[in-house]
Structure formats: C-alpha cells, structure tokens
Amino acid sequence: KKKKTTQPSKRRSVMRIIGSSTHFLTQKKWHYNKISSPLLIASSLLFHQLDCVVSSFPFASHHITRPLFVRGGGDNPNDSTLKMSNQEEEFPQGLNGMDLVKDGWFHERGELWKGQAMSLEVKNILAHYRSDYQDILVFESTNHGNVLVLDGVIQVTERDEFSYQEMIAHIPLYAHPNPKKVLVIGGGDGGVLREIAKHESVEEIVICEIDKGVIDVSKKYLPTLAKGYDDPRVTVHVMDGAKFMEENQDSFDVIITDSSDPIGPASVLFETPFYNAMHASLREGGIVCTQGECLWLHVDIIRPLVNSISTKYTQVEYAYTTIPTYPSGQIGFIVASKGEREAGCKVPVRKPSKELQKTMKYYSTELHAAAFVLPAFAKRAIFGDDV
C-alpha cells in the first residue's frame, strides 16, 4: 500500500520526518532526558514550522533535500532516542503517520486518492518510529484491531487483511498446476507467506523485503500475519527484490509482488523493466501476480502498464478484491503468465480441500473466477472498447 528502492510493503507514499519533532515533544513515551541540548529541541520546532510554511506555497518543490531526525538506530522499534541522521531525504516529501492522528482518529489522505479520506478511531498508539526507509506507525483501533501504517498510508488492519492476502496469493497459486517455488517481493507483514504456506505442493518460499523494520513490527504487533515466517520452507532476504531476481533467472513458478502505490521509488514497480525482470526470473509456465491499484481511481495507471507488458507476457489479466480500509474499498491485481494457458488464470486448475477451505475467510473457487469479471467501465478503460 512504496520508499524502499524496489519493493515496499503494500501501499505507501514517501515520508516527512521533521513533523515528528512535534510528536516527540508532546508524547510521554519519548525520553526527554536523552536530549543533551535545548538547541536541538528549538531547532526541530523551527524546522517543523518552516516546513509547514514552505509546503503551503503552490510553487513549493516536492523534492526536498534536508537532514533527518531519526529515532534510535533506524531498525530498532524499542530505541526511543532521537538523533540527527547522516542520511539526507532524497525522495518526494511524504507523510508522518502521527501528523494524521487528530482528536483520537487516524485520517488517511494520499496523493493518489485526492479529495477523499479513510478514518479509523485510535484506541492506543503501539509503535511509531522511522526505519531506514520509511515512517512506521502501528496503532490499536477501536473496531479494526491493530493497524500498520507506512508513511501515512494504511497497509494492514487485522479486521479485513485476509481479503487482500488470500486473493493475491491464491489466485496465481491455484491457477498453476503444480507450484513448487514461490517468490514474494515486499509483503514484510507476512500475510502473503501465511497463505502460500497453505499449499502443500510448494517446496520453497522466498521473500525479499527491503525494510527489516516492517518485518520486526509485524512480528510484534501483527502475529496472525507474521506467523507466515514460522513455516520452515520460508527463506528471508532483506534486500532489493530486483537485484535478487537478476541473480535468480528461470527460478520461480509464481512471483507475487505485494507492493505499495506508484509514488517515489515505488514507481519503478509499476514500470515495464520491473515486469521484464519478473518475466526473466519466472520458469516457463510461471505466473506473476502484483498489486494493481484501484479500478475507481487508477485506470490511467493500470491501462498503460497492461499494454506495455502484453508484448512480453503471453497473457495479461486483471482481477480485484474488496477491502473496506483501502481507497474506495477495492484493490486490483495484475495477473500475467509466461507460456500458453488455455483458460488463462481466470479458471483455477486446482482447488482447496474442504478442510483447507474452512481456514479461508475470503477466497473460494467461485470467487476466483468472479474476481476477473470487471464492471463495464473498467473493462473498457483497461482493455479497450473492442474487448
């Protein structure tokens, strides 16, 4: 919900860290006695005020290079010290999750869904810090369980996460006759791993997540998702997914990219070269399934991508799922295959046993096929008027 240089975890924009100084001064969880100089406090407030003023001008640049204040060692959510980072911000200005918490509610606002917002009532802030790549916020909500937010964008809520995790995993896996080796790009919360592990035919599950901070907070605060890491078939690589694929050609039966939105560094995940890299890393007959944005908001992103990769992949299809806490309550999947498939990926070639189906809250064989049936406006917008 993207950022990490080539794979973020789900939907994310890029963050603004200076605003965290306000949170630092107002929240009791910060250790004030660890700040050695009052000058640091004053300067952080000054930078925050200047940032608010500058960003309000219509000509203000969204690409700002400036020093960053980071909490602790970057990847350690338990280190609450505040220090100046040697790193400079090189990505577009994004959001600090705590800036979106007002009067006990979290309000998600983003560049890709202007004019609308998703609000959740906050019961308790569980974690807030900056990793080496992004602002990470976890809070307990009143009605949706624990919520993971990256750079101000909701990635996961415990109440509805299953609809996304089950569909992005089981659509490609049940469309493949015998998947044995599966690669996950992003997906640091572990939910996709949990679903892949339900397939007995899979012998090896590899995940490339560039931000270890996402893995750590998910294991602590989202155990029902992070249980996916407990499967002995899982191998974790904290690294750039594109580099990993370059080193592993013709290796995987299924590749699942659980990415965030095409803002900043994550934009490369929605471009043809990244899909070419996945194609090269697939075995013949393999399938890729990637986060494909929202039918109601992003057909201008979806259609050019579908058109461009259709020259490389044998078949390119689009499916979707419903999920209340994602923008407009819906998110799609681009499903593409390497090699001929008589019915594409729309019809599952395997199905879960009765016992396994009882463990699933959303996916079913019937819903698999139905997910590819698009509203008329979306079908025309993505595949053209002649389809």
Side-chain angles (χ1 to χ4, degrees), residues 27-332:
Q27 299 297 312
K28 293 181 180 179
K29 292 183 180 179
W30 291 95
H31 295 257
Y32 304 129
N33 60 334
K34 294 186 179 181
I35 302 299
S36 59
S37 171
L39 180 61
L40 176 59
I41 299 176
S43 61
S44 66
L45 280 174
L46 177 60
F47 274 115
H48 175 61
Q49 295 301 322
L50 287 174
D51 181 66
C52 293
V53 172
V54 171
S55 63
S56 68
F57 287 109
F59 54 81
S61 171
H62 288 284
H63 293 266
I64 300 173
T65 299
R66 60 189 175 193
L68 302 175
F69 290 97
V70 297
R71 184 177 176 182
D75 282 334
N76 182 6
N78 298 314
D79 187 350
S80 59
T81 59
L82 192 70
K83 64 182 76 173
M84 183 77 80
S85 172
N86 294 326
Q87 180 185 2
E88 288 188 329
E89 184 177 12
E90 57 187 44
F91 302 137
Q93 181 177 324
L95 296 174
N96 180 319
M98 285 304 300
D99 288 345
L100 302 179
V101 178
K102 306 291 183 183
D103 300 322
W105 288 77
F106 173 83
H107 305 283
E108 181 193 60
R109 299 185 297 272
E111 292 182 32
L112 290 179
W113 47 93
K114 292 180 179 179
Q116 66 185 64
M118 176 68 190
S119 297
L120 295 176
E121 189 173 8
V122 178
K123 185 176 181 181
N124 185 34
I125 300 295
L126 300 175
H128 180 230
Y129 77 107
R130 188 197 170 181
S131 73
D132 291 336
Y133 297 93
Q134 58 203 328
D135 181 84
I136 298 178
L137 169 67
V138 183
F139 66 88
E140 180 186 4
S141 66
T142 57
N143 297 311
H144 288 74
N146 290 351
V147 181
L148 172 64
V149 178
L150 300 181
D151 285 351
V153 179
I154 295 171
Q155 309 295 307
V156 164
T157 83
E158 290 182 310
R159 180 175 179 174
D160 61 10
E161 54 83 14
F162 57 85
S163 67
Y164 176 85
Q165 317 285 1
E166 290 185 12
M167 293 297 276
I168 198 172
H170 297 312
I171 284 177
L173 287 168
Y174 280 116
H176 196 288
N178 191 28
K180 293 187 176 297
K181 193 172 180 181
V182 182
L183 172 65
V184 180
I185 306 290
D189 54 63
V192 172
L193 298 178
R194 178 193 67 198
E195 298 306 317
I196 296 171
K198 295 176 180 179
H199 292 255
E200 294 182 358
S201 69
V202 175
E203 299 172 352
E204 185 175 353
I205 307 169
V206 180
I207 179 171
C208 285
E209 166 60 61
I210 202 167
D211 193 347
K212 186 176 182 294
V214 175
I215 298 175
D216 291 340
V217 296
S218 298
K219 287 182 176 180
K220 184 171 184 179
Y221 298 110
L222 298 167
T224 58
L225 285 85
K227 64 186 291 186
Y229 287 102
D230 298 335
D231 192 282
R233 294 168 291 176
V234 172
T235 302
V236 180
H237 296 275
V238 180
M239 66 177 294
D240 183 319
K243 186 176 188 301
F244 180 85
M245 289 190 291
E246 183 181 339
E247 297 168 354
N248 292 271
Q249 305 281 289
D250 300 308
S251 298
F252 297 96
D253 298 303
V254 173
I255 299 176
I256 299 169
T257 300
D258 182 9
S259 71
S260 53
D261 298 315
I263 299 176
S267 62
V268 301
L269 302 179
F270 289 79
E271 295 173 356
T272 307
F274 185 77
Y275 278 79
N276 289 345
M278 287 192 290
H279 187 274
S281 194
L282 274 182
R283 292 171 175 166
E284 188 66 25
I287 302 170
V288 301
C289 185
T290 70
Q291 190 266 99
E293 292 302 320
C294 177
L295 292 174
W296 295 100
L297 300 169
H298 305 128
V299 290
D300 58 328
I301 296 172
I302 300 167
R303 181 170 184 170
L305 180 57
V306 167
N307 288 343
S308 68
I309 67 175
S310 293
T311 60
K312 173 70 72 171
Y313 290 85
T314 308
Q315 291 166 305
V316 179
E317 299 162 296
Y318 191 89
Y320 71 96
T321 189
T322 61
I323 178 166
T325 53
Y326 281 3
S328 296
Q330 177 271 326
I331 197 165

Side-chain angles (χ1 to χ4, degrees), residues 356-372:
L356 184 55
Q357 182 64 65
K358 290 179 182 179
T359 70
M360 299 179 186
K361 298 180 180 180
Y362 198 92
Y363 178 89
S364 68
T365 301
E366 295 80 11
L367 195 58
H368 180 127
F372 290 87

